[in-house]
Amino acid sequence: MSRQYYIAGNWKMHKTRSEAAELAKTLAGQLKDGQHKYLVAPSFTSLETVAAIVKGTNIRLGAQNCAAEEQGAHTGEVSVLQLKDLGVQTIILGHSERRHVYKEDDALINKKVKLALKHGFEVILCIGELLEEREAGKVEAVCETQTVKGLEGVSAAELANIVIAYEPVWAIGTGKTATPEDAEAVHAFTRKVIGRLYGAEAAEKIIIQYGGSVKPDNAAQLMAKENIDGALVGGAALTPDTFVPIAKF
Ligand code: 13P
């Protein structure tokens, strides 16, 4: 496969600055000789601390969200300009917790995607179905809608800065991983959607990560699938003992 594996840790709302620094330092040391592409996404409050540690290493710095506007009266929000100032390179958008807990819809996510791309960020666009959508046979319809609407107005050139993360909502933080076969089916389908929108070459190139209870003991089987190009890791990204073996699968 010509695509590079991309292993990302989403630390969600965990860790104080000193805890984040400790984890980032250990990862920087232990992943120095890692063969894949890496990213850590700490909370906003730890970005500056972690930026200083991962600078010049093979670990990229990610944010977990951004505002849909560049600046202005948006109490509690964080803008792309502020993230760029901190050295953030990548922004995770459309995470299931943003969609389902904080009620972000496809239009808002699309606005954020376009703004982040405009400012030169790489974007990890998360898609994925709820359990009831899977049980109702709507997996493809949901993932297609989230992909198409999330990328509305994104040019072929900008697509080079897009990574897709398929994260079935029922697998997040539940210990229930999608089987490699079930995940592969959605990844292959999503790649086909990208092909329809942007052509075969773009579809072949785009990185599609899997997320949802990725652990050291299931990472390799997932990554062995043709269309699974990496992982977006939550719980197992919080300690080197679990993240390093995934990152070095
Ligand atoms: P878990 O690995 O804890 O299931 O979380 C996955 C996730 O949501 C990563 O963004």
Side-chain angles (χ1 to χ4, degrees):
M1 188 183 72
S2 58
R3 294 183 295 272
Q4 187 186 18
Y5 286 107
Y6 189 178
I7 312 292
N10 174 7
W11 297 356
K12 305 192 180 183
M13 198 175 72
H14 293 286
K15 302 205 180 282
T16 61
R17 282 178 303 163
S18 62
E19 290 164 349
E22 191 186 326
L23 176 56
K25 273 184 208 152
T26 307
L27 293 180
Q30 296 195 13
L31 296 183
K32 217 174 0 193
D33 58 346
Q35 299 301 303
H36 311 309
K37 180 174 173 179
Y38 301 121
L39 172 126
V40 293
S43 299
F44 292 133
T45 50
S46 295
L47 282 170
E48 187 169 17
T49 302
V50 173
I53 295 164
V54 300
K55 196 174 178 193
T57 72
N58 60 345
I59 303 176
R60 297 173 65 87
L61 184 66
Q64 300 171 18
N65 190 19
C66 69
E69 307 291 338
E70 258 164 38
Q71 56 188 318
H74 297 282
T75 303
E77 293 288 300
V78 175
S79 101
V80 285
L81 303 176
Q82 295 164 331
L83 295 177
K84 199 185 268 184
D85 184 47
L86 289 171
V88 169
Q89 297 156 293
T90 302
I91 307 178
I92 298 171
L93 292 170
H95 191 277
S96 79
E97 288 142 24
R98 300 304 320 170
R99 290 179 188 269
H100 300 294
V101 184
Y102 296 98
K103 307 297 174 205
E104 294 194 9
D105 62 13
D106 286 312
L108 179 70
I109 293 161
N110 175 248
K111 202 171 170 192
K112 295 181 177 192
V113 167
K114 286 189 289 193
L115 185 64
L117 291 171
K118 179 183 149 198
H119 287 277
F121 290 94
E122 175 182 80
V123 168
I124 299 180
L125 173 64
C126 304
I127 62 168
E129 82 285 357
L130 297 163
L131 183 59
E132 54 261 39
E133 292 168 335
R134 174 162 283 264
E135 286 170 345
K138 291 183 183 157
V139 177
E140 292 192 348
V142 169
C143 291
E144 178 166 9
T145 300
Q146 292 177 350
T147 302
V148 172
K149 292 195 171 171
L151 295 177
E152 211 171 270
V154 171
S155 71
E158 287 173 324
L159 191 77
N161 282 325
I162 295 278
V163 171
I164 292 179
Y166 170 57
E167 298 204 304
V169 182
W170 49 271
I172 296 177
T174 57
K176 281 190 218 151
T177 325
T179 63
E181 291 68 32
D182 282 347
E184 168 65 10
V186 182
H187 282 235
F189 171 78
T190 304
R191 198 177 299 287
K192 221 181 289 168
V193 172
I194 295 295
R196 200 185 69 219
L197 297 173
Y198 294 96
E201 200 182 320
E204 182 56 33
K205 277 194 187 146
I206 196 162
I207 301 292
I208 308 179
Q209 297 171 325
Y210 169 80
S213 299
V214 176
K215 307 288 177 210
D217 63 2
N218 60 26
Q221 293 103 288
L222 288 159
M223 298 308 123
K225 292 292 177 192
E226 189 185 336
N227 288 288
I228 302 182
D229 311 318
L232 182 54
V233 185
L238 296 175
T239 61
D241 289 359
T242 43
F243 190 66
V244 171
I246 295 171
K248 290 189 166 177
F249 79 91

